[in-house]
Amino acid sequence: MTTRTATDFTHVDPALYAKAFQLLDPTPEPAAPAAPAAPTPVSLILAAAPPVHRPGPVEKTLTDALAFLDTHGWAKHRLIHPEGARCSIGALRAATGARNAAYRDAGNLLLDEARSQHGNQWESIPAWNDSHTGPQVRGVWEAAIRRAHHLNI
C-alpha cells in the first residue's frame, strides 16, 4: 500500500513574511542588544503551553491498526495472509490484542464510516474489506481516524 507524499503547499518567500509583520507591528527594533530578561518561572511556561492531544482508545486502536497495515500489508479474503498481511479485522485484532471495548468501538466506527462512504449494504467489515480496493479501504480508515479524533474517543 502506498501513501501519498505530495503536498499542496505553495512556497512562500520568508522576506515577504518579514515585511508583512513589520508593517503590522511598526515598532522600531532596538539599536543595542537588550539586557537579558529575568528567567521565566517554569509554572508560567507550562501554563502557556498548548494542551497535548491524547488520543482516546478508539482513535489509538484505529491509528495502530492502520500503522500495522502500512507495515505488514493489507489483504483480502483472509484474516492473515501467509506473508503477514491482514485484512481490516485482522489489523484491528493485531492493534488491540484482544476483543475488548476499544476493538468493538473501533470496528463499529470503521464499519459506520465504510457505510457512509460506500453504502449501507455492508453487514460486516470483512464483506466491505473484500469488496473494495486498497485505496478505498485506506480512505475509510483515515476518515474513521479523523472522526474518532474529532469525537475525542
Side-chain angles (χ1 to χ4, degrees):
M1 199 177 289
T2 59
T3 302
R4 184 177 77 106
T5 58
T7 60
D8 297 326
F9 296 115
T10 304
H11 174 73
V12 178
D13 181 12
L16 180 63
Y17 267 106
K19 183 64 177 170
F21 285 116
Q22 183 182 25
L23 292 172
L24 290 172
D25 186 17
T27 55
E29 301 222 3
T40 304
V42 174
S43 61
L44 290 177
I45 294 171
L46 293 176
V52 175
H53 172 71
R54 291 192 173 91
V58 173
E59 180 184 357
K60 181 173 180 354
T61 298
L62 290 167
T63 302
D64 290 350
L66 184 56
F68 186 92
L69 290 174
D70 287 342
T71 303
H72 300 286
W74 170 72
K76 280 183 163 187
H77 308 294
R78 54 178 49 192
L79 186 65
I80 304 172
H81 189 272
E83 295 176 7
R86 297 206 180 195
C87 71
S88 292
I89 284 291
L92 281 173
R93 289 183 186 170
T96 59
R99 293 183 186 178
N100 56 24
Y103 167 83
R104 182 194 68 239
D105 294 343
N108 286 336
L109 185 67
L110 185 66
L111 183 58
D112 188 57
E113 188 60 40
R115 288 174 176 160
S116 171
Q117 289 188 29
H118 300 133
N120 289 328
Q121 73 271 22
W122 303 110
E123 296 288 324
S124 66
I125 292 172
W128 160 77
N129 180 86
D130 294 348
S131 299
H132 291 85
T133 66
Q136 290 172 320
V137 170
R138 182 175 187 80
V140 169
W141 276 95
E142 290 171 346
I145 291 168
R146 284 191 303 271
R147 203 160 137 199
H149 178 86
H150 177 73
L151 294 171
N152 199 30
I153 56 174

